[in-house]
Coordinates of all heavy atoms in Angstrom, one line a residue:
K31 N -122.8 16.8 81.1 CA -123.3 18.2 80.9 C -122.8 18.7 79.6 O -121.7 18.8 79.3 CB -122.7 19.0 82.1 CG -123.1 20.4 82.1 CD -122.2 21.3 83.0 CE -122.2 20.8 84.4 NZ -121.5 21.7 85.3
E32 N -123.8 19.0 78.7 CA -123.5 19.6 77.4 C -123.9 21.1 77.4 O -125.1 21.4 77.6 CB -124.3 18.8 76.3 CG -123.9 19.2 74.9 CD -124.6 18.4 73.8 OE1 -125.9 18.6 73.8 OE2 -124.0 17.8 73.1
A33 N -122.9 21.9 77.2 CA -123.2 23.3 77.3 C -123.3 24.0 75.9 O -122.5 23.8 75.0 CB -122.0 24.0 78.0
S34 N -124.4 24.7 75.7 CA -124.6 25.4 74.4 C -125.0 26.8 74.6 O -125.0 27.6 73.6 CB -125.7 24.6 73.6 OG -126.9 24.6 74.4
I35 N -125.5 27.2 75.7 CA -126.0 28.6 75.9 C -124.9 29.5 76.5 O -124.4 29.2 77.6 CB -127.2 28.6 76.9 CG1 -128.3 27.6 76.3 CG2 -127.7 30.0 77.0 CD1 -129.4 27.4 77.3
P36 N -124.4 30.5 75.8 CA -123.4 31.4 76.3 C -123.8 32.0 77.6 O -125.0 32.3 77.8 CB -123.2 32.4 75.2 CG -123.7 31.8 74.0 CD -124.9 30.9 74.5
P37 N -122.9 32.2 78.6 CA -121.4 31.9 78.5 C -121.0 30.5 79.0 O -119.9 30.3 79.3 CB -120.8 33.0 79.4 CG -121.8 33.2 80.4 CD -123.2 32.9 79.8
T38 N -122.0 29.6 79.2 CA -121.7 28.4 79.8 C -120.7 27.5 79.1 O -120.1 26.6 79.8 CB -123.0 27.6 80.1 OG1 -123.8 27.4 78.9 CG2 -123.9 28.3 81.2
P39 N -120.6 27.5 77.8 CA -119.5 26.7 77.2 C -118.1 27.0 77.8 O -117.3 26.1 78.1 CB -119.5 27.1 75.8 CG -121.0 27.4 75.5 CD -121.4 28.1 76.7
D40 N -117.8 28.3 78.1 CA -116.5 28.6 78.8 C -116.5 28.1 80.2 O -115.5 27.7 80.7 CB -116.3 30.1 78.8 CG -115.9 30.7 77.4 OD1 -115.4 29.8 76.6 OD2 -116.1 31.8 77.1
F41 N -117.6 28.1 80.9 CA -117.7 27.6 82.2 C -117.4 26.1 82.2 O -116.6 25.7 83.1 CB -119.2 27.8 82.8 CG -119.5 29.2 83.1 CD1 -120.9 29.5 83.4 CD2 -118.6 30.2 83.0 CE1 -121.3 30.9 83.6 CE2 -119.0 31.6 83.2 CZ -120.3 31.9 83.5
V42 N -117.9 25.3 81.3 CA -117.7 23.9 81.2 C -116.2 23.6 80.9 O -115.5 22.7 81.5 CB -118.6 23.2 80.2 CG1 -118.1 21.8 80.0 CG2 -120.0 23.2 80.8
R43 N -115.6 24.4 80.0 CA -114.2 24.2 79.8 C -113.3 24.5 81.0 O -112.4 23.7 81.3 CB -113.8 25.2 78.6 CG -114.4 24.9 77.3 CD -113.9 25.9 76.2 NE -114.6 25.7 75.0 CZ -115.6 26.5 74.5 NH1 -115.9 27.5 75.2 NH2 -116.1 26.2 73.4
R44 N -113.7 25.6 81.7 CA -112.9 25.9 82.9 C -113.1 24.8 84.0 O -112.2 24.4 84.7 CB -113.4 27.2 83.5 CG -112.8 27.6 84.8 CD -111.3 27.8 84.7 NE -110.8 28.3 85.9 CZ -109.5 28.2 86.2 NH1 -108.6 27.7 85.4 NH2 -109.0 28.7 87.4
E45 N -114.4 24.2 84.1 CA -114.6 23.2 85.1 C -113.8 21.9 84.7 O -113.2 21.3 85.6 CB -116.1 22.8 85.2 CG -116.4 21.8 86.2 CD -117.9 21.6 86.4 OE1 -118.7 22.1 85.6 OE2 -118.3 20.8 87.3
A46 N -113.7 21.6 83.5 CA -112.8 20.5 83.1 C -111.4 20.7 83.4 O -110.7 19.7 83.9 CB -113.0 20.3 81.6
E47 N -110.9 21.9 83.2 CA -109.5 22.2 83.6 C -109.3 21.9 85.1 O -108.3 21.4 85.5 CB -109.2 23.6 83.2 CG -109.1 23.9 81.7 CD -108.9 25.4 81.5 OE1 -108.7 26.1 82.4 OE2 -108.8 25.7 80.3
I48 N -110.2 22.5 85.9 CA -110.0 22.3 87.3 C -110.1 20.9 87.8 O -109.2 20.4 88.5 CB -111.1 23.1 88.1 CG1 -110.9 24.6 87.8 CG2 -111.0 22.9 89.6 CD1 -109.7 25.3 88.3
L49 N -111.1 20.1 87.3 CA -111.3 18.8 87.7 C -110.2 17.9 87.3 O -109.9 16.8 87.9 CB -112.7 18.2 87.3 CG -113.9 18.9 88.0 CD1 -115.2 18.4 87.5 CD2 -113.8 18.7 89.5
A50 N -109.6 18.2 86.1 CA -108.4 17.4 85.7 C -107.2 17.5 86.7 O -106.5 16.5 86.7 CB -108.0 17.9 84.3
L51 N -107.2 18.5 87.4 CA -106.1 18.7 88.4 C -106.5 18.3 89.8 O -105.6 18.0 90.6 CB -105.7 20.2 88.5 CG -105.2 20.9 87.1 CD1 -105.0 22.4 87.4 CD2 -103.9 20.2 86.7
L52 N -107.8 18.2 90.0 CA -108.3 18.0 91.4 C -108.8 16.6 91.6 O -109.9 16.3 91.1 CB -109.4 19.0 91.6 CG -110.1 19.0 93.1 CD1 -109.0 19.4 94.1 CD2 -111.2 20.0 93.1
E53 N -108.1 15.8 92.2 CA -108.5 14.5 92.6 C -108.7 14.5 94.1 O -107.8 14.3 94.9 CB -107.6 13.4 92.2 CG -107.4 13.3 90.6 CD -106.5 12.1 90.3 OE1 -106.2 11.3 91.1 OE2 -106.1 12.1 89.1
A54 N -109.9 14.6 94.6 CA -110.3 14.7 96.0 C -111.6 14.2 96.3 O -112.5 14.2 95.4 CB -110.2 16.2 96.4
P55 N -111.8 13.7 97.5 CA -113.2 13.2 97.9 C -114.3 14.2 97.9 O -115.4 13.8 97.9 CB -112.9 12.5 99.3 CG -111.8 13.3 99.8 CD -110.9 13.6 98.6
F56 N -113.9 15.5 97.9 CA -115.0 16.5 97.9 C -115.3 17.0 96.5 O -116.0 18.0 96.4 CB -114.5 17.7 98.8 CG -113.2 18.2 98.5 CD1 -113.0 19.0 97.4 CD2 -112.1 18.0 99.4 CE1 -111.8 19.6 97.1 CE2 -110.9 18.6 99.1 CZ -110.7 19.3 98.0
A57 N -114.9 16.3 95.5 CA -115.2 16.7 94.1 C -115.5 15.5 93.3 O -114.9 14.4 93.5 CB -114.1 17.5 93.4
P58 N -116.4 15.6 92.3 CA -116.7 14.4 91.4 C -115.5 14.1 90.5 O -114.7 15.0 90.1 CB -117.9 14.9 90.6 CG -117.7 16.4 90.6 CD -117.2 16.8 91.9
R59 N -115.3 12.8 90.2 CA -114.3 12.4 89.3 C -114.6 12.8 87.9 O -115.7 12.6 87.3 CB -114.1 10.9 89.4 CG -113.4 10.4 90.6 CD -113.1 8.9 90.6 NE -114.3 8.1 90.4 CZ -114.6 7.4 89.3 NH1 -113.8 7.4 88.3 NH2 -115.7 6.7 89.3
L60 N -113.6 13.3 87.2 CA -113.7 13.6 85.8 C -113.5 12.4 85.0 O -112.5 11.8 85.1 CB -112.7 14.7 85.4 CG -112.6 15.1 83.9 CD1 -113.9 15.7 83.4 CD2 -111.4 15.9 83.6
L61 N -114.5 12.0 84.1 CA -114.4 10.8 83.3 C -113.9 11.1 81.9 O -113.2 10.3 81.3 CB -115.7 10.0 83.3 CG -116.2 9.6 84.7 CD1 -117.5 8.8 84.5 CD2 -115.2 8.7 85.4
A62 N -114.4 12.2 81.4 CA -114.1 12.5 80.0 C -114.5 14.0 79.7 O -115.4 14.5 80.4 CB -114.7 11.6 79.0
F63 N -113.9 14.6 78.7 CA -114.2 15.9 78.3 C -114.0 16.0 76.8 O -113.0 15.5 76.3 CB -113.4 17.0 79.0 CG -113.6 18.4 78.5 CD1 -114.8 19.0 78.7 CD2 -112.6 19.0 77.8 CE1 -115.0 20.3 78.2 CE2 -112.8 20.3 77.3 CZ -114.0 21.0 77.5
E64 N -114.9 16.7 76.1 CA -114.8 16.9 74.7 C -115.1 18.4 74.4 O -116.2 18.9 74.8 CB -115.7 16.0 73.8 CG -115.5 16.2 72.3 CD -116.3 15.3 71.6 OE1 -117.6 15.4 71.6 OE2 -115.7 14.4 70.9
D65 N -114.2 19.2 73.8 CA -114.4 20.5 73.6 C -115.1 20.7 72.2 O -115.4 19.7 71.5 CB -113.1 21.3 73.5 CG -113.3 22.8 73.9 OD1 -114.4 23.3 73.8 OD2 -112.2 23.4 74.3
G66 N -115.4 21.9 71.8 CA -116.1 22.1 70.6 C -117.1 23.2 70.8 O -117.2 23.9 71.8
E67 N -118.0 23.3 69.8 CA -119.1 24.4 69.9 C -120.0 24.2 71.1 O -120.4 25.1 71.8 CB -119.9 24.4 68.6 CG -121.0 25.5 68.6 CD -121.7 25.5 67.3 OE1 -121.3 24.8 66.3 OE2 -122.8 26.1 67.2
R68 N -120.2 22.9 71.5 CA -121.0 22.5 72.6 C -120.1 21.6 73.5 O -120.2 20.3 73.4 CB -122.3 21.8 72.2 CG -123.3 22.7 71.5 CD -124.5 22.0 71.0 NE -124.1 21.0 70.0 CZ -125.0 20.0 69.6 NH1 -126.2 20.0 70.1 NH2 -124.6 19.2 68.7
P69 N -119.3 22.1 74.4 CA -118.4 21.3 75.2 C -119.2 20.3 76.0 O -120.3 20.6 76.5 CB -117.7 22.3 76.1 CG -117.8 23.6 75.3 CD -119.1 23.5 74.6
L70 N -118.6 19.0 76.1 CA -119.3 18.0 76.9 C -118.4 17.6 78.0 O -117.2 17.2 77.8 CB -119.6 16.8 76.0 CG -120.3 15.6 76.7 CD1 -121.8 15.9 77.0 CD2 -120.2 14.4 75.8
L71 N -118.9 17.7 79.3 CA -118.2 17.2 80.4 C -118.9 15.9 81.0 O -120.1 15.9 81.2 CB -118.4 18.3 81.5 CG -117.5 18.1 82.8 CD1 -116.0 18.2 82.5 CD2 -117.9 19.2 83.8
V72 N -118.1 14.9 81.2 CA -118.6 13.6 81.7 C -118.0 13.3 83.0 O -116.8 13.3 83.1 CB -118.4 12.5 80.7 CG1 -119.0 11.2 81.2 CG2 -118.9 12.8 79.3

């Protein structure tokens, strides 16, 4: 998921923070995250 349209870049950053803490069968596994003008969540 590559976010470029405001305010979704902040949403993706927040989601990466949550998933980095949350390892549970009811959430997808975080594989990678890259911040920047267009944050990328994998």
Side-chain angles (χ1 to χ4, degrees):
K31 179 193 303 187
E32 186 178 62
S34 59
I35 304 174
T38 53
D40 285 338
F41 293 169
V42 168
R43 294 183 184 103
R44 177 61 176 164
E45 184 175 5
E47 292 175 2
I48 296 296
L49 292 178
L51 300 172
L52 183 60
E53 295 185 14
F56 53 73
R59 287 187 299 113
L60 174 66
L61 302 181
F63 173 69
E64 183 176 65
D65 207 343
E67 185 177 348
R68 292 175 297 172
L70 181 73
L71 186 69
V72 185

